[in-house]
């Protein structure tokens, strides 16, 4: 029997999960999924996903299992992190449904289009990160900051002097 797990993550202790639970139960009912087990977590999206309960859910579920979310942003803070989680789920044959936007990631054409959009967004985000890094380095260089490892003896923690033995036999 396939398992259905609702992942509910909030960032602060004062956020309420009850509304999300109700919406997820309605989604599960509309899709005739059956019983849903809730996994709640109160942790910042800054914490890497492999250190959050979503990693355990992905390890536990097998092909045919379902993850239910209030929205995709509950998976992680960045598009790249969400894409990584979604990729792991898709490879394992785990379906993902969201309340907000009524998204579904399974073996449908909609899922394939969504995966393509996510992949494009991830590539764009990587390109923007690289561009911002290059721009920041150019500004530092233009302002006279010397880039790279410090040169000379004792200036770099990676520098290891070559000693020659002068001992006599």
């Amino acid at each position: 029997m396939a398992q259905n797990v609702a992942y509910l993550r909030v960032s602060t202790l004062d956020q309420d999960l009850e509304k999300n639970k109700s919406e997820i139960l309605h989604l599960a009912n509309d899709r005739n999924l059956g019983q849903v087990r809730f996994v709640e977590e109160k942790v910042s999206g800054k914490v890497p996903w492999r250190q959050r309960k979503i990693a355990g859910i992905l390890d536990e579920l097998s092909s045919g299992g379902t993850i239910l979310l209030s929205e995709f942003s509950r998976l992680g803070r960045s598009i790249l992190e969400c894409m990584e989680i979604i990729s792991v789920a898709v490879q394992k044959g785990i379906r993902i449904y969201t309340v907000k936007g009524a998204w579904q990631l399974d073996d449908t054409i909609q899922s394939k289009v969504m995966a393509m959009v996510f992949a494009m967004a991830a590539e764009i985000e990587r390109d923007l990160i690289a561009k911002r890094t290059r721009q920041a380095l150019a500004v530092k260089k233009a302002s006279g900051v010397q880039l790279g490892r410090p040169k000379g003896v004792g200036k770099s923690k990676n520098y290891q002097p070559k000693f020659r033995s002068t001992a006599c036999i």
Side-chain angles (χ1 to χ4, degrees):
M1 184 173 146
Q3 289 186 313
N4 303 303
V5 179
Y7 177 64
L8 302 170
R9 183 187 64 80
V10 291
S11 300
T12 61
L13 296 174
D14 60 338
Q15 290 177 304
D16 183 28
L17 295 173
E18 294 308 313
K19 179 180 178 242
N20 290 340
K21 285 182 182 179
S22 174
E23 291 173 338
I24 286 173
L25 287 173
H26 284 294
L27 174 67
N29 189 43
D30 290 346
R31 297 196 181 266
N32 295 318
L33 296 176
Q35 188 175 7
V36 175
R37 179 173 59 92
F38 288 92
V39 174
E40 298 177 21
E41 185 167 43
K42 294 187 180 184
V43 65
S44 169
K46 290 181 183 179
V47 175
W49 74 270
R50 293 188 188 274
Q51 296 173 11
R52 291 188 274 123
K53 291 182 181 179
I54 188 66
I57 293 169
L58 286 170
D59 287 342
E60 169 191 326
L61 289 176
S62 57
S63 182
T66 304
I67 297 174
L68 301 150
L69 306 164
S70 58
E71 57 184 282
F72 277 123
S73 68
R74 300 296 82 207
L75 290 176
R77 184 169 263 195
S78 73
I79 293 172
L80 291 174
E81 186 171 54
C82 292
M83 278 301 301
E84 186 178 359
I85 294 168
I86 291 166
S87 174
V88 169
V90 169
Q91 287 174 7
K92 288 186 73 175
I94 299 168
R95 300 170 301 193
I96 300 177
Y97 296 131
T98 67
V99 172
K100 189 175 184 180
W103 295 109
Q104 64 181 42
L105 292 179
D106 49 24
D107 58 355
T108 63
I109 190 71
Q110 177 191 14
S111 296
K112 292 174 184 170
V113 170
M114 277 292 297
M116 188 173 67
V117 168
F118 281 144
M120 287 179 5
E123 183 176 342
I124 290 168
E125 184 174 4
R126 281 192 306 272
D127 290 347
L128 290 175
I129 289 169
K131 182 178 179 180
R132 287 191 303 267
T133 301
R134 284 192 301 274
Q135 288 173 342
L137 289 172
V139 167
K140 283 187 174 256
K141 189 173 183 177
S143 67
V145 174
Q146 188 174 7
L147 302 177
R149 256 193 262 157
K151 292 176 179 43
V153 176
K155 304 232 180 201
S156 172
K157 53 184 168 177
N158 293 330
Y159 177 75
Q160 295 180 355
K162 296 177 185 167
F163 292 105
R164 292 186 185 193
S165 176
T166 56
C168 296
I169 300 181

